[in-house]
Amino acid sequence: MAKYIVQRILEAIPLLFLVTIATYFIMNLAPGGPLSVYLHNPHVSQSQIAILAHQLGLNQPWYVRYFKWLWALLHGNWGYSYFTGQPVISVIAQRLPNTLILMGAAFIVSLGIGLPLGIYSATHRYTAFDYTFSFLSFFAWAMPSFFFGLLLQIIFAVKLGILPVAGMYSEFYAPSFLELLRHLILPTAVLGLGSLAGWSRFMRSGMLEVIQQDYIRTARAKGLKERTVIMKHALKNALLPIVTIIGMDLPAFFGGAVITEQIFAWPGMGRLFLTSLNNRDYPLQMAELLISAALLIVGNLLADLVYGLLDPRIQYN
Amino acid sequence: MVLKKMAVVMASAGLLAAGLAACGSSPTTTSTQSSAPFVEALSQNPDNLTPAMGTLAVDNMPLELMNASLAYLNLHDKWTGEIATSWSESSNGLTYTFNLNPKATWSDGKPLTSADVVYTWHYMTNPKIQITYNTGWNYVKNVVAEGPHKVVFTLTQPYAPFMATVGSSYIVPKHIFDKWTPSQINHGIYTKSTPVVAGPYVLKSWQQDQSLTFVPNPHWFGSPVHIQKMILQIVPNTDTQFNMLSTGKLSLGTIPSSDVTQASSLSSKYTIEKTLQATYNLIQLDENHFLKDVKVRQALDYATPKQQIVTDIMHGLAIVAHGDQVPGGYFYDPNVPHRTFSLTKAAAILKADGFTKGAGGWLYKNGQELTVPIWTGSTSHSEMDIAQVVSQDWEKIGVYAPVHTAGWSIVFGNGTPQNPGPQVNGKDEALIFSWGQGVFPDDTIDFNSKYVPKSPFQPSPQENGERYVNAQMDQLQAQGVTLSSRPARRKVYDQIQKLEQKTLPVIFLFWYKNETAVSKNLHGYQQTVFGTTPVWDWSMQ
């Protein structure tokens, strides 16, 4: 197992290297550049822009800048944001915990509710519950998050006045866990409901496929309780595709939810990514994309390892 | 069984949510007690609060709270002393002398003296520091301290916008910045430490992408402030900002143009004020082929439905523009003759200019079709609507005017040699965007021939992207920035406005108005196109 993990990590290094070249190249292909934000500013002179370009090294070709960035990265320096001047790693460190809180809450809600609902729907196929649940799942899945978010704000904050419109803490009180939970409810509902609908559908279809297998019929013929058949024999195998999806979703935990964070003024990675994209803040963009790529690789590795735990036929030795 | 357990879990979650909601159901009532804080929403996180190093409009409010300049322009268009108690200008316009307030103090208790003003000159002109805005400082030849409370600026040439650029720059603390290298300043050491400031408020906390909180500066030397806590909350979505206004949570807020029709729903908690902004919307006509011909530009001006745009697209939150001097300002000439919308006159001008209808119903001259593609930013809904309306009317007179939308960096950028951006491609193009030199009259960078891009691939910010060349304009603008007499300058800018209307470097569309919701709990707040009442005049009930 350890050898397998080390091998996968070693394979990931050239892959990440290629990812950095590709992303840096594509980023520089995009029209405009970090100083294009000044193009529409009557107060910034041409000579001042030339000075800034020189100071930021933007007058050099992209590959020169890339190798300088890579060299600094190999020495543990992720660079500085072009716009705030702050070290990239500290800019990310300020937002990452907020995103983990939001995405973690949405993950718990969607997994905690979505998987049981998917199982129940599969085991009660073609019942009124199944039809209703399917309809609501597709409805929730199709609901745009910006619309749903604003709708929840109007109902629960503007009309009923029982939840805050946006933000992470109240500006009137010292930050507290209770305040955090109150502010989490609406964005978690928006994010959680979308994922809940998706994951429950995957769970339902996975479970439907498994419960038609011979070994399930055998388990039932042996006289096992239906609950034991489903939870012990069927669930493990039905979870395999879900594990893959969760593994692929790992970068989203880091990347945050751009639209939901915008709507609810949540100070997370999604907003940071959007801002860095709009500003062409290359050092910040590179750090975000590199970490996302690394997490995708880690997520896949974890998913493969979990396969082994769920399915004893899979061996890594 | 599973379903029952699930129901219990969901019911518990619902109860928890309801409980949490109930726990927080009274914050607004608590907040309206005695020392209510002032809360305003900013659409973005400020990028840099080190003076003169930021790039965003949202930097202005926090910078104003924390900093002080020698003088500021009040809401009645009058320069008022802040650090300076008085000042004078030499008769040749080459020397400005400021007397500083002897009570002026930094927030750490150290005195603010003329040495800080001299240091600010070195700071603003240091090429190793990433200053973004230092217009005017390049005209400063020398700054000399004559004692601790008197400072003399000597200029390289008379420079009329001196107060608007140099005189209103924020002064930085020498004893703090002197300790740092340019690299440390560039990497934000100032805002990472507790910023030492000279303004009425100090920064208490800055939660990135969440909020900035300010409390009164204990060493503030000006009029005492009444509000004990100023909170700027970062809320990027304008609909969310409107929802926050609806809950009464904000003390002050701009109503987004998409929500102006709902503004009346706020009337129980807010007073709605409409204020003119010093920003105009325009159509830049890139003069490469037919657009070099002033008659074509005049015809397009006649065929542009400005009043319809103001009424139908801007919902009345704008006034038609006839030039680039802000209406109501000292340099605004209300008597500038202008063209009223008339497709008949537009068609007649083009016909007299030799254009005739040809294939597709479009106008042709010397076998070439009169094509003026219209470009605007894909992020601006109102400008996209304006482009469509203008296109329809131009096409009615036979000008082929397809609409293109793209990101601003594409509209103003180079593009690639195979696919150059519209501003540099050497063809007739029309660009719709907003612009403005503020309430100050100098428009040299916009229409002076020395700001025409030097090569086809030299885009803005050589700001005369339309490639307008007019010797009379160049001469008038040179006078406008060097004359020290205000009435004499006004005569120059009157001529400039008339010349703008006659020769149309751009088509001026409208001046923006803001609809601002002012909480009925906020007192002493007033706004004009020149600014607002100073923050020390504000109070919260």
Side-chain angles (χ1 to χ4, degrees), chain A residues 43 48 55 153 171 182 263, chain B residues 24 127 130-131 133 240 243:
Chain A
H43 302 300
Q48 202 55 36
Q55 286 173 339
Q153 280 179 357
E171 61 275 23
R182 288 184 65 241
I263 295 290
Chain B
Q130 289 167 6
I131 301 287
Y133 177 42
T240 304
N243 286 340

Side-chain angles (χ1 to χ4, degrees), chain A residues 31-33 36-46 48-49 51-52 55-56 80 82-87 94-95 98 112-113 116-117 120 129 150 153-154 157-158 161-173 178-179 181-183 185 227 231 261-268 271-272 275 279-280, chain B residues 1-3 5-6 10 17 20-27 30-31 37 39 44-48 53 55 126-135 186-188 191-192 208-210 229 231 233-237 239-240 243-244 246-247 249 408-410 412-413 433-438 445 458 460-463:
Chain A
S36 66
V37 294
Y38 302 111
L39 295 178
H40 206 205
N41 185 339
H43 302 300
V44 182
S45 65
Q46 167 72 12
Q48 202 55 36
I49 288 180
I51 291 171
L52 284 171
Q55 286 173 339
L56 297 171
Y80 296 90
Y82 285 159
F83 292 88
T84 64
Q86 305 278 340
Q94 284 162 346
R95 273 81 169 181
N98 306 335
I113 300 174
L117 280 177
Y120 188 83
F129 174 86
L150 291 171
Q153 280 179 357
I154 290 170
V158 178
I162 56 174
L163 285 172
V165 177
M168 194 168 167
Y169 295 101
S170 168
E171 61 275 23
F172 300 115
Y173 303 120
L178 196 66
E179 274 300 301
L181 285 183
R182 288 184 65 241
H183 284 79
I185 293 173
R227 179 187 163 82
M231 302 307 284
E261 287 184 6
Q262 286 280 112
I263 295 290
F264 289 99
W266 194 266
R271 270 169 68 190
L272 183 68
T275 308
N279 289 345
R280 308 282 198 276
Chain B
M1 179 68 86
V2 175
L3 184 64
K5 279 193 175 177
M6 221 154 53
M10 290 171 78
L20 288 167
C23 284
S25 58
S26 59
T30 311
S31 71
V39 185
Q44 270 179 291
N45 197 47
D47 61 345
N48 202 326
M53 287 181 67
T55 61
N126 185 342
K128 290 181 180 166
I129 298 176
Q130 289 167 6
I131 301 287
T132 51
Y133 177 42
N134 62 359
T135 304
N186 292 341
H187 292 150
T191 39
K192 270 190 274 184
Q208 294 290 327
D209 271 339
Q210 289 183 65
K229 200 176 190 182
I231 298 167
Q233 198 173 355
I234 320 296
V235 184
N237 185 274
D239 292 315
T240 304
N243 286 340
M244 291 176 79
S246 300
T247 62
K249 203 173 175 183
W408 288 117
S409 59
I410 294 173
F412 294 115
F433 58 96
S434 54
W435 193 253
Q437 64 265 18
I445 61 167
Q458 181 75 58
S460 198
Q462 301 272 27
E463 309 293 355

Side-chain angles (χ1 to χ4, degrees), chain B residues 165-354:
Chain B
T165 53
V166 179
S168 57
S169 294
Y170 296 130
I171 302 302
V172 295
K174 178 179 189 291
H175 66 286
I176 298 294
F177 278 73
D178 239 358
K179 293 185 293 197
W180 297 326
T181 63
S183 171
Q184 286 176 308
I185 296 171
N186 292 341
H187 292 150
I189 192 169
Y190 178 67
T191 39
K192 270 190 274 184
S193 60
T194 304
V196 172
V197 297
Y201 283 89
V202 291
L203 181 65
K204 187 186 174 199
S205 67
W206 183 2
Q207 303 294 325
Q208 294 290 327
D209 271 339
Q210 289 183 65
S211 63
L212 298 96
T213 304
F214 299 87
V215 293
N217 174 358
H219 295 283
W220 167 237
F221 50 91
S223 302
V225 296
H226 305 294
I227 299 174
Q228 298 306 306
K229 200 176 190 182
M230 305 281 289
I231 298 167
L232 303 179
Q233 198 173 355
I234 320 296
V235 184
N237 185 274
T238 52
D239 292 315
T240 304
Q241 285 184 18
F242 187 80
N243 286 340
M244 291 176 79
L245 282 170
S246 300
T247 62
K249 203 173 175 183
L250 300 179
S251 314
L252 191 67
T254 303
I255 297 170
S257 55
S258 56
D259 291 315
V260 287
T261 51
Q262 299 178 56
S264 58
S265 67
L266 302 174
S267 59
S268 63
K269 300 184 180 96
Y270 295 92
T271 307
I272 310 297
E273 291 183 1
K274 290 181 182 177
T275 317
L276 190 71
Q277 300 299 297
T279 306
Y280 59 87
N281 200 273
L282 70 143
I283 306 176
Q284 175 185 304
L285 300 171
D286 291 355
E287 298 175 22
N288 288 304
H289 185 47
F290 284 133
L291 289 179
K292 277 186 176 175
D293 181 351
V294 69
K295 289 205 165 54
V296 174
R297 303 203 295 273
Q298 287 172 347
L300 293 178
D301 191 35
Y302 267 123
T304 302
K306 298 169 192 173
Q307 189 57 54
Q308 186 198 345
I309 290 168
V310 165
T311 309
D312 296 342
I313 299 176
M314 299 308 294
H315 305 290
L317 275 178
I319 57 171
V320 171
H322 304 304
D324 60 351
Q325 300 304 324
V326 65
Y330 182 79
F331 296 96
Y332 173 65
D333 181 358
N335 302 316
V336 171
H338 55 269
R339 292 171 197 84
T340 310
F341 177 66
S342 168
L343 293 178
T344 316
K345 284 184 181 171
I349 289 174
L350 290 174
K351 191 178 177 186
D353 201 31

Side-chain angles (χ1 to χ4, degrees), chain A residues 288-303:
Chain A
E288 289 162 331
L289 293 170
L290 183 60
I291 295 172
S292 288
L295 283 177
L296 189 66
I297 292 167
V298 170
N300 270 297
L301 176 59
L302 287 176

